[in-house]
Amino acid sequence: MPERSLIYAANWKMNHGPGEARAVAERFLSLTSPVKGRSLWFFPPAVSINVLAQATRNRPDIRIGVQNVHWESKGAFTGEISVRMAMEAGAHSALAGHSERRQLFGETDDQVAKKAKAALNLGVTPLVCVGETLAEREGGRTESVIMRQLGPVLEALEPPEWSRVVLAYEPVWAIGTGKNATPDDAAQIHELIRIELGRHGITGRVPILYGGSVNAGNVLSLLASPQLDGVLVGGASLDAEGWAELVGLS
Ligand code: PEP
């Protein structure tokens, strides 16, 4: 049986400008060492990517990513940044379709697919997020919503490209609310996603992370499920001590 690899991804959202990002990174580095089979990904605000990439350059287990990119390479898109720009700053991965982007900024399923494709085209790993709202869950639409979100991504990417994609299942009702999905709920959705990938000829294992109020108290029970390949964490990743403790638990 191949050894299990786990990804612990920190989404800092709109927290930690360059000065704070450096301080948190330095403290985190002093508290952790590389562990076989464990990758640590950080998604800081775009302005802090470079500082974080520099601070962590001697840690091969750490990868820096960007929280959002535009699919075009350049042009009149005020406020946006391209994949190449993020790469130049030090990003090797790009979140696409985080629920806050979808809900607060109107990002559509098609745009998420274009972002994922643009990232892949330049060798940047897309971390594509899907997940249902509370109303959708209560209306029995979890599965159809996730399939709808995945649809354009499945159309945009060729099956071999999926070996360079990571997915995250993040139920919107669990993000920042303190309510996490049960390990069984999460595992069930991960399994559905894998079945859908299989139906589209994607045969290799695509890592699927779980996100939504993960903390040091629940991470072990979530990761006990072999369906989870890691976690995507917001609030509990913001302070160096707490994040170091969480990633050190498994
Ligand atoms: C997230 O931002 O992706 C997230 C899961 O946030 P939190 O861990 O705070 O719920």
Side-chain angles (χ1 to χ4, degrees), residues 110-184:
D110 288 332
Q111 290 173 344
V112 173
K114 286 202 250 183
K115 289 174 188 216
K117 183 77 178 175
L120 271 177
N121 283 346
L122 287 178
V124 164
T125 307
L127 171 36
V128 179
C129 306
V130 295
E132 80 287 3
T133 63
L134 187 58
E136 289 162 345
R137 167 161 284 238
E138 288 178 347
R141 301 202 305 281
T142 299
E143 186 175 342
S144 66
V145 166
I146 288 167
M147 297 310 141
R148 190 208 72 217
Q149 291 171 336
L150 276 178
V153 188
L154 282 161
E155 254 174 58
L157 309 186
E158 300 299 328
E161 290 181 299
W162 282 84
S163 64
R164 298 184 286 126
V165 175
V166 177
L167 294 175
Y169 167 55
E170 295 209 302
V172 180
W173 48 270
I175 297 181
T177 59
K179 292 183 211 146
N180 61 290
T182 65
D184 284 351

Side-chain angles (χ1 to χ4, degrees), residues 11 13 98 100 170 174-176 211-214 232-235:
N11 174 18
K13 314 190 189 204
H98 188 278
E100 285 151 20
E170 295 209 302
I175 297 181
S213 294
V214 175
L232 175 54
V233 183

